Amino acid sequence: MSRKGYWMAMIDVRDPDVYKQYIEANAVAFAKYGAKFAVRAGRYESPEGPTGNRHVLVEFESYDKAIECYHSPEYQRASKHRLATSTGHFVIVEGA
């Protein structure tokens, strides 16, 4: 049985209006690869220093699906909006 895969991101969004284009565009890839949001923005506290102003945890049925989604043409088109308007830390990890 394969382990789940996750995208973990701590992002500092500079232009929320342009970032909305990313959110709208990434829905295509997320639907295709069965992504589920465990965390998508919401309230947060950063007790040990800055972490960005937007936090996301996306679950996939497997690590391989998480990797495939990231490299898909659908997500790569969407990511251009994110990269143009934000900076941060993004990692794809295998679950426990």
Side-chain angles (χ1 to χ4, degrees):
M1 183 170 164
S2 64
R3 296 184 196 171
K4 292 186 178 189
Y6 296 89
W7 289 11
M8 297 168 42
M10 296 183 301
I11 306 296
D12 192 22
V13 177
R14 294 184 304 270
D15 186 338
D17 292 330
V18 174
Y19 197 83
K20 287 178 187 175
Q21 295 174 26
Y22 164 66
I23 293 169
E24 292 169 6
N26 70 29
V28 174
F30 289 162
K32 180 177 179 179
Y33 290 91
K36 297 177 184 173
F37 286 92
V39 175
R40 191 173 198 178
R43 298 184 330 165
Y44 67 93
E45 183 175 328
S46 300
E48 296 187 8
T51 61
N53 57 21
R54 185 171 180 87
H55 307 90
V56 179
L57 178 62
V58 185
E59 180 183 271
F60 294 84
E61 69 181 41
S62 69
Y63 176 77
D64 291 339
K65 284 284 185 197
I67 294 291
E68 288 174 29
C69 182
Y70 182 82
H71 292 290
S72 71
E74 297 88 354
Y75 184 74
Q76 289 303 304
R77 278 192 295 278
S79 71
K80 292 176 183 177
H81 299 292
R82 178 178 58 82
L83 296 171
T85 190
S86 67
T87 56
H89 299 283
F90 184 104
V91 64
I92 302 171
V93 298
E94 186 174 52

